[in-house]
Amino acid sequence: MGLLGLLRKLKSEPDKELKVLLLGLDNAGKTTILKALAGEDYTKITPTQGFNVKSVSTSKWKLNVWDIGGQRNIRPYWKNYFESINVLIYVVDSTDRARMEEAGLALNELIEEEEKLAGVPVLVFANKQDLALAKTAAEVSSDLLLSNIRDRKWQIQPCSAHTQEGLDLGMTWAVKTSCRKK
């Protein structure tokens, strides 16, 4: 079942709109996840050099998802997209052991943004779980020090953008949690 099916199952208010910010280091799989959720072809992805925006709609919900590039030189511009965010989705490449600390530092900077992201729920997708060298979601959680997050709801979800395993569970949590926040 895709994201549209999940959204139809949720009890909700009519015409509810959620703004979702999709961040993470470059090559984590953000755009692949976005295209998979939107039901688009994700077999030929190139690095995002700016941002992608996709809207996913049902009769009751509209998700506006902002996928921002994760290259080091683009990260300072992430803050330009914080306005009115309902949920932050942070994507981590579970196989990229060399950059796990960098991923944690980038996430920590987001969590510390008190003005516009205070209290915004965080979903961490531990992506690329279909690959043999992937760290488990528990290992990624430990590396990112997620248990230190006390000022907002958070969830780590193992997933594979290519097989789409775990995406529905994560998005269900994100939508339900964002709705409770409002």
Side-chain angles (χ1 to χ4, degrees), residues 47-90:
T48 302
Q49 295 299 318
F51 64 90
N52 296 304
V53 180
K54 297 270 183 220
S55 292
V56 180
S57 299
T58 70
S59 61
K60 296 182 179 183
W61 289 95
K62 182 175 183 182
L63 292 181
N64 294 311
V65 184
W66 292 74
D67 162 26
I68 314 299
Q71 294 88 348
R72 190 176 306 239
N73 62 334
I74 293 176
R75 288 182 224 153
Y77 300 103
W78 285 356
K79 63 184 174 212
N80 296 326
Y81 300 91
F82 292 172
E83 193 71 40
S84 303
I85 293 298
N86 299 105
V87 66
L88 169 63
I89 299 176
Y90 192 78

mmCIF file of all heavy atoms in Angstrom, residues 47-90:
data_model
loop_
_atom_site.group_PDB
_atom_site.id
_atom_site.type_symbol
_atom_site.label_atom_id
_atom_site.label_comp_id
_atom_site.label_asym_id
_atom_site.label_seq_id
_atom_site.Cartn_x
_atom_site.Cartn_y
_atom_site.Cartn_z
ATOM 1 N N PRO A 47 22.149 13.680 -8.124
ATOM 2 C CA PRO A 47 22.218 14.467 -6.886
ATOM 3 C C PRO A 47 21.419 15.767 -7.002
ATOM 4 O O PRO A 47 21.473 16.459 -8.012
ATOM 5 C CB PRO A 47 23.707 14.755 -6.724
ATOM 6 C CG PRO A 47 24.391 13.664 -7.480
ATOM 7 C CD PRO A 47 23.485 13.355 -8.630
ATOM 8 N N THR A 48 20.678 16.081 -5.937
ATOM 9 C CA THR A 48 19.881 17.299 -5.902
ATOM 10 C C THR A 48 20.795 18.490 -5.671
ATOM 11 O O THR A 48 21.510 18.542 -4.675
ATOM 12 C CB THR A 48 18.822 17.209 -4.780
ATOM 13 O OG1 THR A 48 18.005 16.057 -5.022
ATOM 14 C CG2 THR A 48 17.955 18.450 -4.735
ATOM 15 N N GLN A 49 20.787 19.430 -6.588
ATOM 16 C CA GLN A 49 21.642 20.602 -6.496
ATOM 17 C C GLN A 49 20.921 21.810 -5.908
ATOM 18 O O GLN A 49 21.466 22.886 -5.836
ATOM 19 C CB GLN A 49 22.190 20.957 -7.882
ATOM 20 C CG GLN A 49 23.098 19.910 -8.444
ATOM 21 C CD GLN A 49 24.324 19.688 -7.575
ATOM 22 O OE1 GLN A 49 24.934 20.613 -7.071
ATOM 23 N NE2 GLN A 49 24.670 18.426 -7.366
ATOM 24 N N GLY A 50 19.730 21.654 -5.506
ATOM 25 C CA GLY A 50 18.934 22.725 -4.907
ATOM 26 C C GLY A 50 17.856 22.070 -4.069
ATOM 27 O O GLY A 50 18.125 21.593 -2.981
ATOM 28 N N PHE A 51 16.649 22.024 -4.631
ATOM 29 C CA PHE A 51 15.564 21.373 -3.912
ATOM 30 C C PHE A 51 14.546 20.801 -4.881
ATOM 31 O O PHE A 51 14.475 21.183 -6.039
ATOM 32 C CB PHE A 51 14.887 22.350 -2.941
ATOM 33 C CG PHE A 51 14.209 23.516 -3.611
ATOM 34 C CD1 PHE A 51 12.883 23.438 -4.006
ATOM 35 C CD2 PHE A 51 14.903 24.703 -3.833
ATOM 36 C CE1 PHE A 51 12.262 24.508 -4.622
ATOM 37 C CE2 PHE A 51 14.291 25.775 -4.454
ATOM 38 C CZ PHE A 51 12.971 25.681 -4.837
ATOM 39 N N ASN A 52 13.777 19.858 -4.373
ATOM 40 C CA ASN A 52 12.639 19.280 -5.078
ATOM 41 C C ASN A 52 11.423 19.493 -4.200
ATOM 42 O O ASN A 52 11.522 19.389 -2.977
ATOM 43 C CB ASN A 52 12.811 17.770 -5.292
ATOM 44 C CG ASN A 52 13.979 17.430 -6.173
ATOM 45 O OD1 ASN A 52 14.065 17.905 -7.291
ATOM 46 N ND2 ASN A 52 14.891 16.618 -5.677
ATOM 47 N N VAL A 53 10.289 19.754 -4.803
ATOM 48 C CA VAL A 53 9.042 19.885 -4.060
ATOM 49 C C VAL A 53 8.021 18.974 -4.711
ATOM 50 O O VAL A 53 7.855 18.987 -5.928
ATOM 51 C CB VAL A 53 8.511 21.335 -4.073
ATOM 52 C CG1 VAL A 53 7.209 21.432 -3.290
ATOM 53 C CG2 VAL A 53 9.541 22.293 -3.519
ATOM 54 N N LYS A 54 7.375 18.179 -3.897
ATOM 55 C CA LYS A 54 6.307 17.305 -4.390
ATOM 56 C C LYS A 54 5.108 17.457 -3.476
ATOM 57 O O LYS A 54 5.245 17.569 -2.262
ATOM 58 C CB LYS A 54 6.729 15.832 -4.360
ATOM 59 C CG LYS A 54 7.880 15.493 -5.247
ATOM 60 C CD LYS A 54 7.410 15.101 -6.607
ATOM 61 C CE LYS A 54 8.613 14.702 -7.431
ATOM 62 N NZ LYS A 54 8.526 15.182 -8.770
ATOM 63 N N SER A 55 3.924 17.435 -4.054
ATOM 64 C CA SER A 55 2.692 17.425 -3.282
ATOM 65 C C SER A 55 2.011 16.088 -3.482
ATOM 66 O O SER A 55 1.920 15.594 -4.606
ATOM 67 C CB SER A 55 1.748 18.540 -3.734
ATOM 68 O OG SER A 55 2.284 19.787 -3.388
ATOM 69 N N VAL A 56 1.585 15.515 -2.383
ATOM 70 C CA VAL A 56 0.826 14.273 -2.411
ATOM 71 C C VAL A 56 -0.518 14.596 -1.782
ATOM 72 O O VAL A 56 -0.581 15.087 -0.662
ATOM 73 C CB VAL A 56 1.549 13.159 -1.617
ATOM 74 C CG1 VAL A 56 0.742 11.875 -1.644
ATOM 75 C CG2 VAL A 56 2.946 12.937 -2.174
ATOM 76 N N SER A 57 -1.596 14.346 -2.515
ATOM 77 C CA SER A 57 -2.920 14.755 -2.048
ATOM 78 C C SER A 57 -3.901 13.603 -2.014
ATOM 79 O O SER A 57 -3.831 12.681 -2.829
ATOM 80 C CB SER A 57 -3.494 15.836 -2.963
ATOM 81 O OG SER A 57 -2.676 16.968 -2.970
ATOM 82 N N THR A 58 -4.825 13.692 -1.084
ATOM 83 C CA THR A 58 -6.013 12.839 -1.051
ATOM 84 C C THR A 58 -7.195 13.783 -0.881
ATOM 85 O O THR A 58 -7.028 15.004 -0.865
ATOM 86 C CB THR A 58 -5.969 11.836 0.122
ATOM 87 O OG1 THR A 58 -6.140 12.550 1.341
ATOM 88 C CG2 THR A 58 -4.690 11.033 0.142
ATOM 89 N N SER A 59 -8.366 13.242 -0.686
ATOM 90 C CA SER A 59 -9.522 14.105 -0.468
ATOM 91 C C SER A 59 -9.450 14.808 0.882
ATOM 92 O O SER A 59 -10.109 15.815 1.096
ATOM 93 C CB SER A 59 -10.809 13.288 -0.568
ATOM 94 O OG SER A 59 -10.809 12.281 0.423
ATOM 95 N N LYS A 60 -8.633 14.294 1.811
ATOM 96 C CA LYS A 60 -8.563 14.883 3.146
ATOM 97 C C LYS A 60 -7.213 15.502 3.490
ATOM 98 O O LYS A 60 -7.130 16.298 4.407
ATOM 99 C CB LYS A 60 -8.892 13.827 4.193
ATOM 100 C CG LYS A 60 -10.299 13.299 4.099
ATOM 101 C CD LYS A 60 -10.575 12.308 5.184
ATOM 102 C CE LYS A 60 -12.013 11.825 5.077
ATOM 103 N NZ LYS A 60 -12.350 10.906 6.152
ATOM 104 N N TRP A 61 -6.152 15.117 2.791
ATOM 105 C CA TRP A 61 -4.805 15.541 3.157
ATOM 106 C C TRP A 61 -4.042 16.077 1.966
ATOM 107 O O TRP A 61 -4.218 15.614 0.852
ATOM 108 C CB TRP A 61 -4.001 14.358 3.700
ATOM 109 C CG TRP A 61 -4.457 13.930 5.025
ATOM 110 C CD1 TRP A 61 -5.346 12.933 5.310
ATOM 111 C CD2 TRP A 61 -4.088 14.489 6.271
ATOM 112 N NE1 TRP A 61 -5.534 12.850 6.647
ATOM 113 C CE2 TRP A 61 -4.765 13.787 7.266
ATOM 114 C CE3 TRP A 61 -3.228 15.522 6.646
ATOM 115 C CZ2 TRP A 61 -4.624 14.086 8.609
ATOM 116 C CZ3 TRP A 61 -3.084 15.809 7.973
ATOM 117 C CH2 TRP A 61 -3.778 15.091 8.942
ATOM 118 N N LYS A 62 -3.142 16.989 2.258
ATOM 119 C CA LYS A 62 -2.183 17.425 1.259
ATOM 120 C C LYS A 62 -0.837 17.519 1.965
ATOM 121 O O LYS A 62 -0.693 18.246 2.936
ATOM 122 C CB LYS A 62 -2.560 18.771 0.673
ATOM 123 C CG LYS A 62 -1.602 19.230 -0.406
ATOM 124 C CD LYS A 62 -2.057 20.512 -1.058
ATOM 125 C CE LYS A 62 -1.109 20.877 -2.177
ATOM 126 N NZ LYS A 62 -1.489 22.136 -2.815
ATOM 127 N N LEU A 63 0.112 16.751 1.481
ATOM 128 C CA LEU A 63 1.466 16.803 2.002
ATOM 129 C C LEU A 63 2.323 17.562 1.001
ATOM 130 O O LEU A 63 2.386 17.198 -0.164
ATOM 131 C CB LEU A 63 2.049 15.398 2.175
ATOM 132 C CG LEU A 63 1.469 14.497 3.232
ATOM 133 C CD1 LEU A 63 2.205 13.177 3.248
ATOM 134 C CD2 LEU A 63 1.528 15.149 4.596
ATOM 135 N N ASN A 64 2.953 18.606 1.465
ATOM 136 C CA ASN A 64 3.921 19.335 0.657
ATOM 137 C C ASN A 64 5.293 18.950 1.175
ATOM 138 O O ASN A 64 5.657 19.309 2.300
ATOM 139 C CB ASN A 64 3.706 20.843 0.773
ATOM 140 C CG ASN A 64 2.379 21.251 0.169
ATOM 141 O OD1 ASN A 64 2.063 20.867 -0.941
ATOM 142 N ND2 ASN A 64 1.602 22.000 0.903
ATOM 143 N N VAL A 65 6.035 18.205 0.380
ATOM 144 C CA VAL A 65 7.335 17.687 0.801
ATOM 145 C C VAL A 65 8.435 18.458 0.102
ATOM 146 O O VAL A 65 8.486 18.510 -1.116
ATOM 147 C CB VAL A 65 7.454 16.174 0.504
ATOM 148 C CG1 VAL A 65 8.775 15.631 1.033
ATOM 149 C CG2 VAL A 65 6.276 15.401 1.095
ATOM 150 N N TRP A 66 9.326 19.047 0.910
ATOM 151 C CA TRP A 66 10.481 19.792 0.421
ATOM 152 C C TRP A 66 11.712 18.939 0.636
ATOM 153 O O TRP A 66 12.072 18.645 1.769
ATOM 154 C CB TRP A 66 10.608 21.115 1.178
ATOM 155 C CG TRP A 66 9.510 22.069 0.877
ATOM 156 C CD1 TRP A 66 8.217 21.998 1.303
ATOM 157 C CD2 TRP A 66 9.598 23.226 0.070
ATOM 158 N NE1 TRP A 66 7.494 23.045 0.805
ATOM 159 C CE2 TRP A 66 8.324 23.822 0.053
ATOM 160 C CE3 TRP A 66 10.638 23.830 -0.627
ATOM 161 C CZ2 TRP A 66 8.060 24.990 -0.653
ATOM 162 C CZ3 TRP A 66 10.377 24.996 -1.328
ATOM 163 C CH2 TRP A 66 9.093 25.563 -1.334
ATOM 164 N N ASP A 67 12.350 18.548 -0.441
ATOM 165 C CA ASP A 67 13.564 17.728 -0.441
ATOM 166 C C ASP A 67 14.720 18.668 -0.799
ATOM 167 O O ASP A 67 14.802 19.153 -1.914
ATOM 168 C CB ASP A 67 13.395 16.603 -1.473
ATOM 169 C CG ASP A 67 14.687 15.944 -1.900
ATOM 170 O OD1 ASP A 67 15.660 15.947 -1.119
ATOM 171 O OD2 ASP A 67 14.726 15.411 -3.029
ATOM 172 N N ILE A 68 15.592 18.919 0.178
ATOM 173 C CA ILE A 68 16.682 19.871 -0.016
ATOM 174 C C ILE A 68 17.998 19.103 -0.148
ATOM 175 O O ILE A 68 18.249 18.165 0.611
ATOM 176 C CB ILE A 68 16.789 20.855 1.175
ATOM 177 C CG1 ILE A 68 15.412 21.397 1.572
ATOM 178 C CG2 ILE A 68 17.776 21.974 0.865
ATOM 179 C CD1 ILE A 68 14.690 22.160 0.499
ATOM 180 N N GLY A 69 18.832 19.504 -1.092
ATOM 181 C CA GLY A 69 20.125 18.861 -1.296
ATOM 182 C C GLY A 69 20.945 18.820 -0.014
ATOM 183 O O GLY A 69 20.828 19.694 0.843
ATOM 184 N N GLY A 70 21.792 17.800 0.114
ATOM 185 C CA GLY A 70 22.554 17.598 1.340
ATOM 186 C C GLY A 70 24.043 17.824 1.231
ATOM 187 O O GLY A 70 24.780 17.540 2.174
ATOM 188 N N GLN A 71 24.504 18.354 0.102
ATOM 189 C CA GLN A 71 25.933 18.630 -0.026
ATOM 190 C C GLN A 71 26.342 19.670 1.017
ATOM 191 O O GLN A 71 25.566 20.543 1.378
ATOM 192 C CB GLN A 71 26.281 19.152 -1.432
ATOM 193 C CG GLN A 71 26.073 18.158 -2.530
ATOM 194 C CD GLN A 71 24.650 18.185 -3.075
ATOM 195 O OE1 GLN A 71 23.746 18.782 -2.508
ATOM 196 N NE2 GLN A 71 24.446 17.497 -4.182
ATOM 197 N N ARG A 72 27.567 19.569 1.468
ATOM 198 C CA ARG A 72 28.065 20.453 2.527
ATOM 199 C C ARG A 72 27.848 21.932 2.205
ATOM 200 O O ARG A 72 27.476 22.716 3.070
ATOM 201 C CB ARG A 72 29.541 20.177 2.769
ATOM 202 C CG ARG A 72 30.105 20.860 3.986
ATOM 203 C CD ARG A 72 31.539 20.460 4.195
ATOM 204 N NE ARG A 72 31.644 19.015 4.231
ATOM 205 C CZ ARG A 72 32.111 18.309 5.244
ATOM 206 N NH1 ARG A 72 32.546 18.920 6.303
ATOM 207 N NH2 ARG A 72 32.162 17.005 5.189
ATOM 208 N N ASN A 73 28.047 22.330 0.937
ATOM 209 C CA ASN A 73 27.898 23.744 0.580
ATOM 210 C C ASN A 73 26.441 24.192 0.506
ATOM 211 O O ASN A 73 26.165 25.388 0.482
ATOM 212 C CB ASN A 73 28.621 24.058 -0.738
ATOM 213 C CG ASN A 73 28.056 23.292 -1.911
ATOM 214 O OD1 ASN A 73 27.490 22.221 -1.759
ATOM 215 N ND2 ASN A 73 28.226 23.831 -3.099
ATOM 216 N N ILE A 74 25.493 23.259 0.497
ATOM 217 C CA ILE A 74 24.064 23.599 0.461
ATOM 218 C C ILE A 74 23.469 23.657 1.871
ATOM 219 O O ILE A 74 22.522 24.398 2.123
ATOM 220 C CB ILE A 74 23.289 22.580 -0.413
ATOM 221 C CG1 ILE A 74 23.721 22.719 -1.873
ATOM 222 C CG2 ILE A 74 21.783 22.774 -0.290
ATOM 223 C CD1 ILE A 74 23.086 21.709 -2.805
ATOM 224 N N ARG A 75 24.026 22.911 2.806
ATOM 225 C CA ARG A 75 23.454 22.816 4.160
ATOM 226 C C ARG A 75 23.214 24.147 4.858
ATOM 227 O O ARG A 75 22.215 24.276 5.576
ATOM 228 C CB ARG A 75 24.305 21.903 5.035
ATOM 229 C CG ARG A 75 24.164 20.453 4.638
ATOM 230 C CD ARG A 75 24.979 19.549 5.537
ATOM 231 N NE ARG A 75 25.658 18.583 4.699
ATOM 232 C CZ ARG A 75 26.776 17.983 4.993
ATOM 233 N NH1 ARG A 75 27.366 18.207 6.147
ATOM 234 N NH2 ARG A 75 27.314 17.130 4.162
ATOM 235 N N PRO A 76 24.065 25.162 4.686
ATOM 236 C CA PRO A 76 23.760 26.445 5.345
ATOM 237 C C PRO A 76 22.425 27.050 4.887
ATOM 238 O O PRO A 76 21.833 27.865 5.596
ATOM 239 C CB PRO A 76 24.935 27.343 4.945
ATOM 240 C CG PRO A 76 26.055 26.396 4.661
ATOM 241 C CD PRO A 76 25.403 25.173 4.067
ATOM 242 N N TYR A 77 21.940 26.647 3.728
ATOM 243 C CA TYR A 77 20.683 27.183 3.206
ATOM 244 C C TYR A 77 19.456 26.417 3.697
ATOM 245 O O TYR A 77 18.323 26.837 3.441
ATOM 246 C CB TYR A 77 20.717 27.204 1.663
ATOM 247 C CG TYR A 77 21.833 28.057 1.138
ATOM 248 C CD1 TYR A 77 22.992 27.477 0.641
ATOM 249 C CD2 TYR A 77 21.750 29.441 1.176
ATOM 250 C CE1 TYR A 77 24.035 28.261 0.180
ATOM 251 C CE2 TYR A 77 22.792 30.235 0.716
ATOM 252 C CZ TYR A 77 23.935 29.632 0.224
ATOM 253 O OH TYR A 77 24.964 30.410 -0.226
ATOM 254 N N TRP A 78 19.668 25.305 4.391
ATOM 255 C CA TRP A 78 18.535 24.541 4.922
ATOM 256 C C TRP A 78 17.605 25.429 5.738
ATOM 257 O O TRP A 78 16.397 25.298 5.669
ATOM 258 C CB TRP A 78 19.015 23.377 5.779
ATOM 259 C CG TRP A 78 19.568 22.202 5.039
ATOM 260 C CD1 TRP A 78 19.641 22.004 3.694
ATOM 261 C CD2 TRP A 78 20.134 21.033 5.632
ATOM 262 N NE1 TRP A 78 20.213 20.789 3.413
ATOM 263 C CE2 TRP A 78 20.532 20.165 4.594
ATOM 264 C CE3 TRP A 78 20.360 20.632 6.945
ATOM 265 C CZ2 TRP A 78 21.114 18.930 4.820
ATOM 266 C CZ3 TRP A 78 20.945 19.395 7.178
ATOM 267 C CH2 TRP A 78 21.317 18.551 6.115
ATOM 268 N N LYS A 79 18.173 26.338 6.522
ATOM 269 C CA LYS A 79 17.373 27.173 7.419
ATOM 270 C C LYS A 79 16.351 28.020 6.676
ATOM 271 O O LYS A 79 15.354 28.448 7.253
ATOM 272 C CB LYS A 79 18.275 28.049 8.276
ATOM 273 C CG LYS A 79 19.095 29.032 7.490
ATOM 274 C CD LYS A 79 20.036 29.815 8.388
ATOM 275 C CE LYS A 79 20.922 30.682 7.511
ATOM 276 N NZ LYS A 79 22.212 30.884 8.066
ATOM 277 N N ASN A 80 16.568 28.248 5.381
ATOM 278 C CA ASN A 80 15.619 29.029 4.596
ATOM 279 C C ASN A 80 14.296 28.295 4.368
ATOM 280 O O ASN A 80 13.337 28.895 3.878
ATOM 281 C CB ASN A 80 16.228 29.412 3.245
ATOM 282 C CG ASN A 80 17.420 30.327 3.394
ATOM 283 O OD1 ASN A 80 17.472 31.158 4.288
ATOM 284 N ND2 ASN A 80 18.399 30.152 2.531
ATOM 285 N N TYR A 81 14.239 27.027 4.720
ATOM 286 C CA TYR A 81 13.049 26.206 4.475
ATOM 287 C C TYR A 81 12.343 25.783 5.769
ATOM 288 O O TYR A 81 11.433 24.976 5.735
ATOM 289 C CB TYR A 81 13.440 24.960 3.665
ATOM 290 C CG TYR A 81 14.049 25.318 2.334
ATOM 291 C CD1 TYR A 81 15.426 25.488 2.209
ATOM 292 C CD2 TYR A 81 13.249 25.543 1.221
ATOM 293 C CE1 TYR A 81 15.994 25.848 0.997
ATOM 294 C CE2 TYR A 81 13.810 25.903 0.005
ATOM 295 C CZ TYR A 81 15.182 26.054 -0.097
ATOM 296 O OH TYR A 81 15.734 26.417 -1.290
ATOM 297 N N PHE A 82 12.743 26.326 6.907
ATOM 298 C CA PHE A 82 12.201 25.915 8.205
ATOM 299 C C PHE A 82 10.810 26.462 8.504
ATOM 300 O O PHE A 82 10.138 25.964 9.384
ATOM 301 C CB PHE A 82 13.128 26.352 9.340
ATOM 302 C CG PHE A 82 14.453 25.639 9.396
ATOM 303 C CD1 PHE A 82 15.430 26.072 10.275
ATOM 304 C CD2 PHE A 82 14.740 24.554 8.590
ATOM 305 C CE1 PHE A 82 16.653 25.437 10.349
ATOM 306 C CE2 PHE A 82 15.968 23.912 8.645
ATOM 307 C CZ PHE A 82 16.926 24.360 9.535
ATOM 308 N N GLU A 83 10.375 27.472 7.801
ATOM 309 C CA GLU A 83 9.117 28.151 8.112
ATOM 310 C C GLU A 83 7.912 27.202 8.026
ATOM 311 O O GLU A 83 7.703 26.533 7.024
ATOM 312 C CB GLU A 83 8.916 29.316 7.139
ATOM 313 C CG GLU A 83 7.829 30.271 7.541
ATOM 314 C CD GLU A 83 8.213 31.108 8.763
ATOM 315 O OE1 GLU A 83 9.375 31.535 8.865
ATOM 316 O OE2 GLU A 83 7.334 31.314 9.605
ATOM 317 N N SER A 84 7.146 27.152 9.087
ATOM 318 C CA SER A 84 5.864 26.414 9.151
ATOM 319 C C SER A 84 5.995 24.922 8.876
ATOM 320 O O SER A 84 5.080 24.307 8.317
ATOM 321 C CB SER A 84 4.851 27.025 8.177
ATOM 322 O OG SER A 84 4.670 28.394 8.452
ATOM 323 N N ILE A 85 7.101 24.320 9.273
ATOM 324 C CA ILE A 85 7.292 22.884 9.081
ATOM 325 C C ILE A 85 6.468 22.113 10.105
ATOM 326 O O ILE A 85 6.461 22.442 11.280
ATOM 327 C CB ILE A 85 8.797 22.522 9.227
ATOM 328 C CG1 ILE A 85 9.597 23.134 8.090
ATOM 329 C CG2 ILE A 85 9.012 21.019 9.286
ATOM 330 C CD1 ILE A 85 9.209 22.656 6.722
ATOM 331 N N ASN A 86 5.762 21.076 9.656
ATOM 332 C CA ASN A 86 4.996 20.217 10.557
ATOM 333 C C ASN A 86 5.774 18.993 10.996
ATOM 334 O O ASN A 86 5.532 18.463 12.077
ATOM 335 C CB ASN A 86 3.693 19.771 9.882
ATOM 336 C CG ASN A 86 2.825 20.942 9.538
ATOM 337 O OD1 ASN A 86 2.730 21.314 8.370
ATOM 338 N ND2 ASN A 86 2.213 21.556 10.529
ATOM 339 N N VAL A 87 6.676 18.522 10.146
ATOM 340 C CA VAL A 87 7.499 17.360 10.497
ATOM 341 C C VAL A 87 8.809 17.436 9.716
ATOM 342 O O VAL A 87 8.833 17.862 8.565
ATOM 343 C CB VAL A 87 6.771 16.021 10.238
ATOM 344 C CG1 VAL A 87 6.505 15.786 8.769
ATOM 345 C CG2 VAL A 87 7.515 14.845 10.847
ATOM 346 N N LEU A 88 9.885 17.034 10.400
ATOM 347 C CA LEU A 88 11.198 16.957 9.781
ATOM 348 C C LEU A 88 11.520 15.485 9.570
ATOM 349 O O LEU A 88 11.445 14.687 10.508
ATOM 350 C CB LEU A 88 12.254 17.593 10.695
ATOM 351 C CG LEU A 88 13.717 17.376 10.312
ATOM 352 C CD1 LEU A 88 14.031 18.016 8.964
ATOM 353 C CD2 LEU A 88 14.639 17.932 11.397
ATOM 354 N N ILE A 89 11.834 15.130 8.337
ATOM 355 C CA ILE A 89 12.292 13.772 8.038
ATOM 356 C C ILE A 89 13.763 13.870 7.703
ATOM 357 O O ILE A 89 14.154 14.604 6.788
ATOM 358 C CB ILE A 89 11.500 13.145 6.870
ATOM 359 C CG1 ILE A 89 10.022 13.041 7.225
ATOM 360 C CG2 ILE A 89 12.090 11.767 6.529
ATOM 361 C CD1 ILE A 89 9.148 12.515 6.109
ATOM 362 N N TYR A 90 14.568 13.148 8.471
ATOM 363 C CA TYR A 90 16.013 13.163 8.288
ATOM 364 C C TYR A 90 16.422 11.783 7.792
ATOM 365 O O TYR A 90 16.120 10.773 8.430
ATOM 366 C CB TYR A 90 16.707 13.496 9.611
ATOM 367 C CG TYR A 90 18.166 13.816 9.453
ATOM 368 C CD1 TYR A 90 18.580 15.058 8.988
ATOM 369 C CD2 TYR A 90 19.146 12.884 9.772
ATOM 370 C CE1 TYR A 90 19.929 15.367 8.843
ATOM 371 C CE2 TYR A 90 20.492 13.183 9.630
ATOM 372 C CZ TYR A 90 20.871 14.425 9.166
ATOM 373 O OH TYR A 90 22.204 14.722 9.020
#
